Amino acid sequence: MSPAVVGEEDEGWFLLGPIGVLPAHQKKGVGSALVQAAMDRMREQGTLGIVLVGPPEYYGRFGFKSLESLTYPGVPSQYVLAVSFGGTAPGGDIKAHDAFG
Ligand SMILES: CC(C)(COP(=O)(O)OP(=O)(O)OC[C@H]1O[C@@H](n2cnc3c(N)ncnc32)[C@H](O)[C@@H]1OP(=O)(O)O)[C@@H](O)C(=O)NCCC(=O)NCCS
């Protein structure tokens, strides 16, 4: 998890991932455990929510949804997903932490 800027909001939103599980260990619940633990921790910390770029078919099961208003430069909108903990819908461009270069 890393802090992200979402639109005009420079506090409260966090970017998940990327995550990866070695092929030999996939489909054993490791990915779900990682996502669930990250979500629990972010919720406990009182964050606004989580944004990510990833396959909606996978992240949909955790409640992540694409929103027309939420964008990540260069990424098709169906892969830009969010879950909100406080009821605030995220909007605007996602800017990842500088650590991502
Ligand atoms: C996505 C990933 C992290 C899931 O890890 P995992 O430990 O296998 O996940 P789980 O065991 O919790 O869940 C497996 C389920 O997710 C499904 N799944 C995995 N990748 C998927 C995808 N891209 N789209 C849809 N479903 C996917 C599997 O088919 C499996 O479905 P099932 O529960 O019906 O059998 C792993 O497949 C991976 O490392 N993929 C390559 C990197 C990647 O795409 N990362 C996500 C983008 S950040």
Side-chain angles (χ1 to χ4, degrees):
M1 302 300 308
S2 56
V5 177
V6 177
E8 302 295 312
E9 298 270 8
D10 57 5
E11 275 184 30
W13 289 101
F14 285 78
L15 182 71
L16 185 152
I19 64 167
V21 174
L22 286 172
H25 298 283
Q26 288 178 4
K27 297 201 171 195
K28 296 175 185 167
V30 177
S32 296
L34 287 170
V35 173
Q36 210 59 67
M39 291 179 74
D40 289 349
R41 224 177 269 191
M42 291 296 104
R43 202 183 280 111
E44 282 162 20
Q45 290 182 16
T47 70
L48 292 175
I50 300 173
V51 293
L52 63 82
V53 172
E57 299 82 3
Y58 183 65
Y59 287 106
R61 67 186 67 192
F62 308 105
F64 284 89
K65 293 191 173 108
S66 63
L67 300 164
E68 263 180 43
S69 58
L70 184 66
T71 49
Y72 194 105
V75 176
S77 62
Q78 69 264 33
Y79 299 109
V80 183
L81 311 176
V83 70
S84 169
F85 298 139
T88 313
D93 270 352
I94 299 170
K95 186 175 178 295
H97 190 274
D98 288 346
F100 284 93

